[in-house]
């Protein structure tokens, strides 16, 4: 069996060539294994499902790092979109911008959104997360991706890929749903345990830990003026 030398913090280990980073976490990380969201392989950000084939240095990334927090938010956004589509079939979800230590978004459906709706979606998110469902990366033909986004009524994705030059695109799959996200992803939904979804008229705010307190939801701070600035900018963008 071929082996490689992997340096983790101040420890060096001889490992099988092709070992996945998630296996290194199981062997060498002393805390909760799902605290590790991603890793740095030498100077490259990599997903935990990636195999290692050469000698390298590895740094585990938790929510105390900016890179891991962005990946965490990406995974939560995927679960949120899926949960909303399951609770309210035919709805569309848009993630708009950062606000109140989280992400503001809107869910478009026939009768508008209310506090009870948001609670139902949050409960469905927690069910999906409790099942620890995997995120799987797939390379699919662009034609299939466009058909899929039309079926989901994801107009933002259709606009994004309008000028895509490649014949294929990498997407992630979780359960029945495929979606496109630019960037790395967590291995499974079970990594996304700490979050809060709150109603913020006319949409919601998806809140999750800050890097300085990775195990708790930050204190809520009202940012109405900033929110109104974002809303005004979006109106002008629609006009232009």
């Amino acid at each position: 069996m071929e082996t490689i030398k992997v340096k983790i913090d101040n420890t060096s280990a001889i490992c099988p060539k092709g070992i996945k980073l998630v296996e290194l976490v199981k062997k060498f990380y002393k805390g909760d294994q799902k605290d590790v969201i991603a890793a740095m392989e030498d100077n490259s950000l990599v997903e935990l499902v990636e195999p290692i084939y050469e000698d390298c240095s590895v740094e585990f990334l938790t929510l105390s790092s900016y890179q891991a927090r962005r990946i965490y938010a990406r995974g939560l956004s995927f679960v949120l979109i899926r949960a909303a589509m399951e609770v309210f079939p035919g709805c569309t979800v848009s993630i708009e911008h950062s606000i109140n230590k989280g992400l503001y978004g809107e869910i478009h459906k026939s009768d508008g959104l209310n506090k009870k709706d948001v609670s139902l979606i949050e409960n469905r998110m927690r069910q999906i997360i409790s099942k620890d469902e995997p995120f799987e990366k797939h390379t699919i033909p662009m034609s299939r991706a466009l058909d899929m986004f039309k079926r989901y009524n994801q107009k933002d994705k259709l606009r994004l890929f309008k000028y895509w030059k490649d014949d294929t695109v990498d997407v992630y799959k979780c359960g029945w749903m495929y979606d496109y996200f630019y960037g790395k992803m967590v291995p499974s939904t079970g990594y996304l345990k700490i979050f809060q979804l709150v109603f913020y008229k006319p949409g919601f705010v998806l809140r999750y830990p800050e890097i300085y307190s990775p195990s708790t939801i930050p204190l809520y701070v009202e940012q109405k003026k900033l929110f109104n600035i974002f809303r005004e900018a979006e109106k002008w963008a629609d006009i232009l």
Side-chain angles (χ1 to χ4, degrees), residues 57-72:
S57 295
V58 169
E59 177 189 358
F60 298 140
L61 300 181
T62 67
L63 280 176
S64 59
S65 78
Y66 286 107
Q67 299 101 318
R69 189 172 186 266
R70 284 193 289 268
I71 294 170
Y72 194 87

Side-chain angles (χ1 to χ4, degrees), residues 23-58:
E23 296 299 323
L24 290 180
V25 174
K26 291 178 182 178
K27 287 186 176 183
F28 297 103
Y29 188 72
K30 296 180 181 179
D32 184 342
Q33 294 171 9
K34 283 188 166 55
D35 286 346
V36 180
I37 304 301
M40 296 295 294
E41 181 183 340
D42 290 332
N43 294 316
S44 298
L45 179 65
V46 290
E47 296 180 352
L48 295 181
V49 295
E50 293 293 327
I52 302 174
Y53 293 106
E54 298 179 350
D55 296 350
C56 63
S57 295
V58 169

Side-chain angles (χ1 to χ4, degrees), residues 1-226:
M1 179 179 64
E2 292 187 74
T3 60
I4 55 174
K5 184 177 181 180
V6 180
K7 184 178 180 181
I8 305 170
D9 294 328
N10 295 320
T11 302
S12 292
I14 303 300
C15 302
K17 186 175 183 179
I19 189 172
K20 291 186 177 181
L21 284 157
V22 69
E23 296 299 323
L24 290 180
V25 174
K26 291 178 182 178
K27 287 186 176 183
F28 297 103
Y29 188 72
K30 296 180 181 179
D32 184 342
Q33 294 171 9
K34 283 188 166 55
D35 286 346
V36 180
I37 304 301
M40 296 295 294
E41 181 183 340
D42 290 332
N43 294 316
S44 298
L45 179 65
V46 290
E47 296 180 352
L48 295 181
V49 295
E50 293 293 327
I52 302 174
Y53 293 106
E54 298 179 350
D55 296 350
C56 63
S57 295
V58 169
E59 177 189 358
F60 298 140
L61 300 181
T62 67
L63 280 176
S64 59
S65 78
Y66 286 107
Q67 299 101 318
R69 189 172 186 266
R70 284 193 289 268
I71 294 170
Y72 194 87
R74 199 171 293 130
L76 280 174
S77 297
F78 192 120
V79 173
L80 165 62
I81 294 169
R82 175 183 155 185
M85 294 175 70
E86 290 177 354
V87 174
F88 300 106
C91 77
T92 58
V93 183
S94 58
I95 308 294
E96 305 286 348
H97 51 73
S98 298
I99 197 78
N100 294 336
K101 309 292 185 180
L103 294 173
Y104 172 79
E106 296 183 3
I107 296 172
H108 307 282
K109 57 190 186 73
S110 58
D111 56 350
L113 191 71
N114 58 48
K115 189 174 182 179
K116 182 179 178 181
D117 294 339
V118 171
S119 179
L120 290 172
I121 294 168
E122 181 182 36
N123 288 339
R124 180 57 188 145
M125 289 178 68
R126 296 195 184 280
Q127 291 172 357
I128 294 169
I129 289 168
S130 70
K131 293 179 180 179
D132 197 19
E133 299 184 35
F135 288 99
E136 302 170 352
K137 183 184 286 187
H138 296 266
T139 301
I140 64 174
M142 177 52 64
S143 58
R144 181 185 171 191
L146 292 174
D147 288 342
M148 181 175 63
F149 296 136
K150 287 178 184 176
R151 188 167 66 252
Y152 295 164
N153 197 25
Q154 292 184 332
K155 296 179 181 179
D156 57 333
K157 301 290 170 59
L158 292 173
R159 288 194 297 269
L160 175 66
F161 290 116
K162 185 176 181 180
Y163 302 104
W164 191 267
K165 295 181 179 180
D166 295 334
D167 295 329
T168 61
V169 60
D170 290 337
V171 296
Y172 287 96
K173 179 179 182 290
C174 180
W176 58 270
M177 182 177 168
Y178 292 83
D179 208 345
Y180 172 82
F181 285 86
Y182 180 76
K184 307 299 183 182
M185 185 63 75
V186 292
S188 64
T189 61
Y191 287 75
L192 307 169
K193 293 176 289 187
I194 306 173
F195 76 96
Q196 182 184 43
L197 191 67
V198 297
F199 179 58
Y200 195 86
K201 191 175 181 178
F204 61 84
V205 176
L206 177 61
R207 307 184 70 239
Y208 46 95
E210 293 271 80
I211 61 169
Y212 54 79
S213 184
S215 61
T216 59
I217 301 295
L219 181 68
Y220 184 85
V221 178
E222 180 65 53
Q223 294 179 304
K224 198 67 179 178
K225 288 184 178 179
L226 180 60

